Amino acid sequence: MAGIYLHIPFCKKACHYCDFHFSTSSNLMEELIHQIGKELVFRKNYLPEGEIIESIYFGGGTPSLLSQSQLSYLMDTIHANYPVKLREVTLEANPDDLNDAKLTQFLSCGIDRLSIGIQSFRNEVLTFYNRAHNAEESLQCIELARNAGFAKLSIDLMYGFPSLDHTGWEADLRTALDLDPGHISSYALTIEPRTALGTWVKRGTFQPASDDFVAEEFEILQDATEAAGYIQYEISNFGKPDAFALHNTNYWTGAPYLGVGPSAHSFDGTNRGYNVSNNSGYVRALREGKLVFETDNLNAEDRINEYILTSLRTIWGTDLNFLETTYQVNLIELKSAELNFLSKSGWVSIQDGHLILSRKGKLLADSVAAKLFL
């Protein structure tokens, strides 16, 4: 089963931490949506033959800015050109875009899951991040979505905001878990160079939280979600047993997917590729009937390392038998010294032929994976 990702590169405001590809100008929106539809048609043979589309994900940017007609156009184009058996259609939304009329429109277009970018329930934090919504909208959006008929919800929360203690983060978590969305994606505040925060750090006008402070908030997150019955099925994703994100799980387990729109990435099961991160360049090329997709050919070693990196982040871990049967790599023999060290450190264990990160190891996931790379 495969998925389709659609990158909608428009936002009302530029969040101070965000380095995703987006524009705050909507001048090209209507034509760009039309060209995304054209790309869907041009690339309908990208995925391996026989793959059925089971998930669609509208990401961005802010896809909740799209109109009903724009969403319907994209959904209709997918249905007309791809074999579909949909189990999940997710749309990323900002709280300030959600009202009764808009939510009804989303449902009518076939959207059945919302991923809501709340980030915090504190006005001072939202203002600092330059988010377009306020704390009241953060609180109201879950109830609005449920009343409209959405049964599948996820919220984004961000930890690591520099503070004297963890009181604010603990309050955010209590509020989120009281709302009980069923799924929470939570990421540390990261300073990227080409962002406002990156500029402030360079100038010395902003001091990010220490690594130890951020790690403590991650552990608080683990404790709180576990106590509320959420499962940490991926490093940054926590869900009730029946609420894991299907589309993203397919990413982590190596399923193929098609990405359309500026900056979107794709994976055909063997190689990866990406579109140009430029709205006008994307539109100009599609007008001329050209694709702006570059292929990144992966060799066997690349694919093995990537599989280790992504699978190790999940609750299911790295399937050692899969590596041996698919790539003739016996990781236990090849990395015996490293695995012995990681095991004695209490970071990993082998369970039913799968290499699994311990709770302690989840703090060091990328470092652990790097030790196992070929």
Side-chain angles (χ1 to χ4, degrees), residues 151-274:
K152 293 187 283 188
L153 298 170
S154 177
I155 65 173
D156 286 356
L157 292 177
M158 189 172 291
Y159 59 92
F161 182 79
S163 307
L164 294 175
D165 56 32
H166 302 301
T167 304
W169 175 232
E170 290 168 339
D172 272 351
L173 281 173
R174 281 196 302 273
T175 302
L177 293 169
D178 285 345
L179 291 170
D180 195 19
H183 189 279
I184 295 172
S185 296
S186 191
Y187 305 91
L189 175 63
T190 303
I191 309 301
E192 301 291 349
R194 296 182 300 172
T195 63
L197 287 185
T199 300
W200 297 344
V201 169
K202 188 175 180 180
R203 291 175 180 169
T205 57
F206 174 71
Q207 179 65 47
S210 69
D211 290 345
D212 286 344
F213 182 91
V214 175
E216 288 167 3
E217 297 216 326
F218 180 69
E219 291 176 322
I220 291 168
L221 168 66
Q222 290 177 305
D223 287 339
T225 50
E226 182 178 3
Y230 284 67
I231 298 169
Q232 187 180 14
Y233 70 102
E234 195 270 345
I235 296 293
S236 302
N237 287 272
F238 306 78
K240 292 290 182 71
D242 60 347
F244 294 179
L246 172 66
H247 187 89
N248 290 347
T249 296
N250 284 346
Y251 286 160
W252 304 318
T253 53
Y257 61 91
L258 169 66
V260 295
S263 82
H265 286 232
S266 301
F267 178 57
D268 65 5
T270 302
N271 296 309
R272 297 198 177 277
Y274 51 91

Side-chain angles (χ1 to χ4, degrees), residues 53-229:
I53 303 301
E54 68 172 358
S55 66
I56 297 172
Y57 194 103
F58 290 88
T62 312
S64 52
L65 293 175
L66 294 184
S67 68
Q68 181 175 5
S69 62
Q70 290 168 335
L71 278 170
S72 294
Y73 163 69
L74 294 172
M75 289 293 291
D76 290 347
T77 303
I78 291 171
H79 281 281
N81 290 277
Y82 294 83
V84 296
K85 190 176 181 181
L86 293 174
R87 296 171 55 199
E88 178 185 281
V89 183
T90 300
L91 181 134
E92 292 182 353
N94 278 352
D96 50 297
D97 291 328
L98 300 181
N99 55 51
D100 291 340
K102 195 81 168 181
L103 288 161
T104 300
Q105 291 172 6
F106 292 158
L107 286 168
S108 70
C109 294
I111 311 298
D112 66 359
R113 182 177 183 270
L114 294 179
S115 177
I116 307 174
I118 287 177
Q119 312 309 346
S120 178
F121 296 96
R122 293 170 282 163
N123 273 326
E124 66 273 19
V125 176
L126 294 171
T127 300
F128 180 83
Y129 288 159
N130 201 38
R131 297 290 292 168
H133 67 280
N134 58 39
E136 183 178 0
E137 289 166 326
S138 289
L139 286 167
Q140 291 176 341
C141 61
I142 297 294
E143 183 179 2
L144 284 172
R146 283 198 174 115
N147 290 342
F150 279 95
K152 293 187 283 188
L153 298 170
S154 177
I155 65 173
D156 286 356
L157 292 177
M158 189 172 291
Y159 59 92
F161 182 79
S163 307
L164 294 175
D165 56 32
H166 302 301
T167 304
W169 175 232
E170 290 168 339
D172 272 351
L173 281 173
R174 281 196 302 273
T175 302
L177 293 169
D178 285 345
L179 291 170
D180 195 19
H183 189 279
I184 295 172
S185 296
S186 191
Y187 305 91
L189 175 63
T190 303
I191 309 301
E192 301 291 349
R194 296 182 300 172
T195 63
L197 287 185
T199 300
W200 297 344
V201 169
K202 188 175 180 180
R203 291 175 180 169
T205 57
F206 174 71
Q207 179 65 47
S210 69
D211 290 345
D212 286 344
F213 182 91
V214 175
E216 288 167 3
E217 297 216 326
F218 180 69
E219 291 176 322
I220 291 168
L221 168 66
Q222 290 177 305
D223 287 339
T225 50
E226 182 178 3

Side-chain angles (χ1 to χ4, degrees), residues 183 231-235 237-254 307-308 310-322 349-357 362:
H183 189 279
I231 298 169
Q232 187 180 14
Y233 70 102
E234 195 270 345
I235 296 293
N237 287 272
F238 306 78
K240 292 290 182 71
D242 60 347
F244 294 179
L246 172 66
H247 187 89
N248 290 347
T249 296
N250 284 346
Y251 286 160
W252 304 318
T253 53
Y307 172 71
I308 291 170
T310 56
S311 64
L312 201 56
R313 293 178 61 88
T314 71
I315 194 174
W316 307 283
T318 300
D319 186 339
L320 300 173
N321 183 62
F322 170 80
S349 63
I350 295 176
Q351 303 173 26
D352 298 323
H354 289 71
L355 188 64
I356 307 288
L357 284 175
K362 289 174 183 175

